Amino acid sequence: MMRSLYSGVSGMQNHQTRMDVIGNNVANVNTTGFKKGRVDFQDMISQQQSGAAAPTEEVGGINPKEVGLGVQVAAINTIFTQGNLQTTGVSTDIAIRGNGFFVLKNGEKTFYSRAGAFGLDKNGTLVNPANGMRVQGWMARDLNGEQVIQTAATPTDLVIPVGQKDPAHETQNVNFACNLNKNTPEIVEGASEADIAKGTWNTEFKIYDSFGNTHMLNVSFQRVVGNPNQWRATVQIDPENAGYTQTRVGLGTTDGVENTFLVNFDNTGTLLSVTDTAGNISNPEGDIVLQASYTVPDANPDENGNPYRQTMNINLGTIGSQKNTVTQSAASSSTKAWYQDGYTMGYLDNFKIDDSGVITGVYSNGTSRAIGKIAMASFTNQGGLEKAGDNTYVESNNSGVANIGESGIAGKGKLLAGALEMSNVDLTSEFTDMITTQRGFQSNAKTIQTSDTMLETVLSLKR
């Protein structure tokens, strides 16, 4: 009779624990990135009144007789199912779609979180503004003008220098992709201005010097008389002031050359070769790249006392290709595409984060470049993580070591900027569990009451 009393007590105690977990779930129904808990029960040791007997030739086997001694909590598991994503429009809010955690630092201590309500502190560091923990990732490095993010390195603090000056960058590369009409008339000796205009195809692009000043790069094409597949190209920087800028263009050098070159096409209209005014001929295959130089106005002389000249590459495209290359077809002349890598000075105005975690800075001069990338962590057993408060987790002996890497790789989910992951608590399920927990608690209380009544009956036998 006393066994049922203690079974009832264990049932009440452990149902109270389950109610505590349910209450915590309900309390965090609107907590960003919260993962609900679940209590699993198991029975306690049973008292054996008689053991099992094996079958004999006369009778069959006999099962053991055991009386259970109550219930105990088997586990309190954290359920890492995906929470709903809510759009916020805030660029520093980030949600994780799939598995994985953000990596946060507090000094040398590392924490992991699903809550992505981040912001910038006064130094531009990406942090959790609720506790100041710093979001970890990899900063981009400038290698020969290209921003490279090395994700094999140890993650560090992410700094987004809003308002930082972006120095002017001179144009170093210009890519051409235009078509020259095969039926363009040749310009014969004594041609009128109108005939010259009809026989010339002009392309004009904006380029920049080292000060960030704007210049106009003009490349005009005219058919060579008597050669059906050859054009003469004339390069001028700021045509209205061509004598001042002194443009030169050549293959591999701009010394001893003028500002024109010859472009040769094959019978299919694809690029074949280029010859500069010094007689240099382009390579037989691959891209045809010319060097062009011009005098930069109002610049200090070079080390030899000569006017300072700036050099850039002009890429006409790939020999034998029809894509992103200068071609000659019987169609209207057109500039299909072009590219130049110079820009004037600007400031970091804004930034955006893509689904791979790359932070891209947007500058007032119209340029954009990678600033850094957000790191993510995954675990062999994420259910083994210990909750550390502030929506964070820490490693435990059974979680495994954090596998830190890029989003979308090795089981890590994708990121969504401008959104937050909500709690995965389902109130309908929690209220249902609350009812069954309450009934379980009441039933165990009734077990104690009934056992007490039975004890009272025993005590009243001798009256």
Side-chain angles (χ1 to χ4, degrees):
M1 194 175 300
M2 295 300 294
R3 289 190 295 258
S4 61
L5 279 171
Y6 290 114
S7 293
V9 170
S10 70
M12 291 182 69
Q13 289 175 335
N14 289 288
H15 276 81
Q16 178 61 59
T17 300
R18 189 186 192 205
M19 189 63 204
D20 292 339
V21 173
I22 294 172
N24 183 62
N25 290 342
V26 174
N28 287 281
V29 67
N30 289 317
T31 300
T32 302
F34 178 78
K35 299 303 177 185
K36 66 182 179 181
R38 184 188 68 194
V39 177
D40 296 332
F41 290 149
Q42 65 184 14
D43 65 339
M44 281 200 292
I45 190 171
S46 296
Q47 182 178 358
Q48 193 175 81
Q49 295 186 337
S50 64
T56 65
E57 293 182 358
E58 291 78 15
V59 295
I62 300 174
N63 293 329
K65 298 183 181 67
E66 297 175 313
V67 178
L69 299 180
V71 67
Q72 63 182 346
V73 174
I76 302 177
N77 295 314
T78 302
I79 308 302
F80 284 95
T81 55
Q82 179 75 54
N84 294 327
L85 304 185
Q86 179 178 347
T87 302
T88 65
V90 180
S91 60
T92 53
D93 285 346
I94 310 171
I96 299 175
R97 295 179 293 180
N99 294 325
F101 299 84
F102 299 110
V103 183
L104 307 176
K105 279 280 192 179
N106 181 356
E108 293 301 317
K109 296 184 65 177
T110 304
F111 298 84
Y112 307 94
S113 178
R114 294 279 300 188
F118 300 138
L120 301 182
D121 64 11
K122 72 173 187 177
N123 296 323
T125 306
L126 188 64
V127 300
N128 181 343
N131 51 31
M133 292 185 184
R134 298 176 177 180
V135 183
Q136 299 297 287
W138 304 276
M139 294 297 294
R141 298 172 58 198
D142 191 333
L143 299 176
N144 297 324
E146 183 179 356
Q147 300 299 310
V148 178
I149 301 175
Q150 296 178 320
T151 57
T154 302
T156 185
D157 298 343
L158 290 170
V159 179
I160 303 174
V162 174
Q164 182 188 55
K165 184 186 296 184
D166 183 29
H169 182 269
E170 69 272 14
T171 298
Q172 295 178 328
N173 298 283
V174 177
N175 293 348
F176 273 77
C178 62
N179 180 62
L180 304 176
N181 190 350
K182 171 70 174 176
N183 298 323
T184 301
E186 296 179 353
I187 301 175
V188 298
E189 186 177 353
S192 65
E193 290 187 8
D195 291 336
I196 294 174
K198 292 177 183 178
T200 304
W201 176 247
N202 283 304
T203 61
E204 196 168 58
F205 308 125
K206 189 182 292 185
I207 62 171
Y208 299 88
D209 63 24
S210 55
F211 299 108
N213 291 320
T214 303
H215 301 275
M216 298 307 298
L217 168 63
N218 180 282
V219 182
S220 61
F221 296 89
Q222 297 176 344
R223 292 185 61 188
V224 176
V225 178
N227 194 327
N229 293 323
Q230 189 176 72
W231 295 69
R232 175 175 285 104
T234 303
V235 181
Q236 290 182 319
I237 306 296
D238 296 334
E240 73 285 352
N241 197 15
Y244 186 41
T245 53
Q246 302 174 19
T247 308
R248 299 197 299 246
V249 61
L251 287 165
T253 181
T254 61
D255 295 333
V257 293
E258 300 175 4
N259 67 328
T260 64
F261 60 91
L262 297 176
V263 186
N264 300 297
F265 297 94
D266 62 17
N267 288 330
T268 65
T270 57
L271 186 62
L272 184 62
S273 65
V274 163
T275 305
D276 64 16
T277 56
N280 300 312
I281 302 176
S282 59
N283 41 289
E285 59 184 6
D287 290 347
I288 294 181
V289 180
L290 297 108
Q291 283 189 353
S293 66
Y294 64 98
T295 302
V296 178
D298 301 322
N300 295 330
D302 62 18
E303 61 274 9
N304 297 320
N306 299 318
Y308 174 68
R309 299 185 66 83
Q310 186 167 301
T311 303
M312 60 184 165
N313 296 320
I314 297 179
N315 190 337
L316 299 184
T318 306
I319 295 173
S321 174
Q322 291 279 345
K323 184 178 181 181
N324 294 330
T325 303
V326 176
T327 59
Q328 178 193 241
S329 299
S332 298
S333 296
S334 63
T335 303
K336 294 178 292 186
W338 68 279
Y339 162 81
Q340 69 84 29
D341 57 3
Y343 47 84
T344 187
M345 189 193 75
Y347 296 89
L348 180 60
D349 277 347
N350 201 357
F351 62 92
K352 53 189 177 182
I353 303 172
D354 63 19
D355 62 0
S356 64
V358 174
I359 305 170
T360 302
V362 180
Y363 294 83
S364 60
N365 54 11
T367 64
S368 60
R369 64 179 63 90
I371 296 175
K373 189 169 189 175
I374 296 172
M376 291 186 65
S378 60
F379 297 86
T380 304
N381 174 29
Q382 61 184 5
L385 292 170
E386 294 180 3
K387 293 185 176 181
D390 292 340
N391 278 347
T392 63
Y393 303 85
V394 294
E395 292 179 13
S396 75
N397 294 333
N398 196 39
S399 64
V401 178
N403 181 342
I404 298 177
E406 306 173 57
S407 65
I409 297 177
K412 299 173 184 64
K414 294 286 187 178
L415 301 179
L416 179 63
L420 291 174
E421 182 186 14
M422 296 293 100
S423 169
N424 67 349
V425 173
D426 179 8
L427 285 179
T428 302
S429 175
E430 296 302 320
F431 286 151
T432 301
D433 289 345
M434 193 181 299
I435 292 172
T436 58
T437 302
Q438 180 185 17
R439 292 307 181 192
F441 187 89
Q442 289 177 335
S443 299
N444 281 279
K446 182 61 71 175
T447 298
I448 295 174
Q449 291 176 352
T450 304
S451 298
D452 180 59
T453 301
M454 296 171 69
L455 282 173
E456 184 178 356
T457 302
V458 172
L459 293 173
S460 64
L461 288 176
K462 187 177 182 301
R463 281 186 179 176

